[in-house]
Amino acid sequence: MKKTPVLLLLVALFLTSAVRSQTVQLSVSDTSGPQISRNIYGHFSEHLGRCIYDGFWTGDHIRMDIVDALKKIKIPVLRWPGGCFADQYHWRDAIGPKDQRKRTVNATWGMVTEDNSFGTHEFLELCGLLGCQPYVAGNVGSGTPEEMENWLEYLNFNGKSTLADLRRQNGRQEPWNVSFWGVGNESWGCGGNMTPEYYAGEYNRYSEFCKDYPGAPLKLIASGANGPDYNWTEVVMKNINRGRTWGLSTHYYTVAGTRQHKGSATSFGEDDYFKAMEACLRMETIVNKHSAIMDKYDPKKKIALVVDEWGIWTDAEPGTNPAFLYQQNSMRDALIAATTLNIFNNHADRVKMAALAQTVNVLQALVLTDKDKMLLTPTYHVFDLYKVHQDAHSLAVKFSSPDYGHGGEKIPAVNVSASKDSSGAVHISSGKS
Ligand code: AHR
């Protein structure tokens, strides 16, 4: 029998006070597994609080200090304009001369005035500066198939048409060839309170009008389950036009407390720490269970599981608008990011895209700003360390984790992923609880 070559490593891991420093023996298979799509390292930017306005976009320009920081971590894909905001967004409100753009209300996030100064052109300019793929979430909840069809023509048609000419008149000659396209967001909740049966019908109706223009084949992503809602995945996978589907999303947030009292981002004890890590590790079960359902309908794994919202959600910082979801970032956030990215790396056969919520000033951000100042959070540095896994081939890791016990419960103290890049270099990343 042919033996699989392994790399043996002894890793000294310095764990929390509850677990004494221990040596963990790892063996890493040298047999390449599935490729880890760079898009697992994606991000999310919503018209919410200070992510876009007073974040990426100040006054009338894109902040280049933020762009430079995100280029450094090789941001591969950016999701926009929501989130819940996507299903109240009407793209025509935010094109053309700024002073003629519609003023609307961001009714989802704080009832603030949306001046639409950041719209389609600005978002795609941002993606161009970042060198990343755009991922647009289309409006199913309060939109129409016609509105979605028109937006795609405006974005992607290179020929002569009133909408393509309008794009040119607004300053963009060439089509953008946007490919990643979300058909709604959280359609079970803020995206329209639909049942999975109803949504599957809507998906089939909308996707019929999402046209592939020459040179711009779409990768359609169906709105997916709320964390462990496996029935959503079952019904949607069964009923959607799978041949017209590139991915199915799911959203899962790490919450240490309750929905009403999520706990502070910085002022927490071991109890909250343990609960957060325990909740974060649940991502593994969520990915496994959704994947098993998808395997039934898509055994060749052609449809991606897209975890396009994840991260820790805490109480907003005291003194800030609670609807703006501004939270601080600590080493706990870094460990949550590392642990989650290890889970995604280890399921690269099915998880082919993900997006941390959210890039700037919202939830588990990479970048926090204060007027013209900017800081990079602990989470940012995890993405910097983990960028070596982008497009590398995953390697199976065998090891036995010590337990981290607290309050009569136990979770694994260590988690790991590994990959081999195109130069043959092996990278091993470890998270801990
Ligand atoms: O990321 C914040 C919100 O969380 C998003 O708008 C929504 O999709 C989710 O519920």
Side-chain angles (χ1 to χ4, degrees), residues 17 224 233 269 287 404 411:
S17 53
T233 296
V287 166
Y404 165 33
I411 52 177

Short mmCIF file of all heavy atoms in Angstrom, two decimals, residues 17 224 233 269 287 404 411:
data_model
loop_
_atom_site.label_atom_id
_atom_site.label_comp_id
_atom_site.label_asym_id
_atom_site.label_seq_id
_atom_site.Cartn_x
_atom_site.Cartn_y
_atom_site.Cartn_z
N SER A 17 -5.39 30.52 30.18
CA SER A 17 -4.99 30.13 31.53
C SER A 17 -5.58 28.78 31.93
O SER A 17 -5.01 28.05 32.72
CB SER A 17 -5.42 31.21 32.52
OG SER A 17 -6.79 31.44 32.35
N GLY A 224 -29.49 32.43 0.94
CA GLY A 224 -29.46 31.17 1.69
C GLY A 224 -29.95 31.28 3.11
O GLY A 224 -30.56 32.26 3.53
N THR A 233 -32.18 25.29 3.10
CA THR A 233 -31.25 24.76 2.10
C THR A 233 -31.88 23.58 1.35
O THR A 233 -31.78 23.47 0.12
CB THR A 233 -29.93 24.34 2.78
OG1 THR A 233 -29.35 25.55 3.30
CG2 THR A 233 -28.95 23.70 1.83
N GLY A 269 -15.45 38.91 30.26
CA GLY A 269 -14.70 37.96 31.08
C GLY A 269 -14.57 36.63 30.37
O GLY A 269 -14.96 36.48 29.20
N VAL A 287 -21.50 24.41 8.28
CA VAL A 287 -20.94 24.11 6.96
C VAL A 287 -21.15 22.63 6.62
O VAL A 287 -21.59 22.29 5.52
CB VAL A 287 -19.45 24.50 6.91
CG1 VAL A 287 -18.76 23.91 5.69
CG2 VAL A 287 -19.29 26.02 6.92
N TYR A 404 -10.36 22.76 25.93
CA TYR A 404 -10.43 23.97 26.75
C TYR A 404 -11.77 23.88 27.48
O TYR A 404 -12.83 23.92 26.84
CB TYR A 404 -10.32 25.20 25.85
CG TYR A 404 -10.73 26.51 26.50
CD1 TYR A 404 -10.52 26.76 27.86
CD2 TYR A 404 -11.31 27.51 25.74
CE1 TYR A 404 -10.89 27.95 28.45
CE2 TYR A 404 -11.68 28.72 26.32
CZ TYR A 404 -11.47 28.93 27.66
OH TYR A 404 -11.85 30.12 28.24
N ILE A 411 -14.49 22.72 24.77
CA ILE A 411 -14.37 22.89 23.32
C ILE A 411 -12.92 22.59 22.95
O ILE A 411 -12.03 22.66 23.82
CB ILE A 411 -14.74 24.33 22.86
CG1 ILE A 411 -13.97 25.39 23.65
CG2 ILE A 411 -16.23 24.56 22.93
CD1 ILE A 411 -14.24 26.82 23.19
#
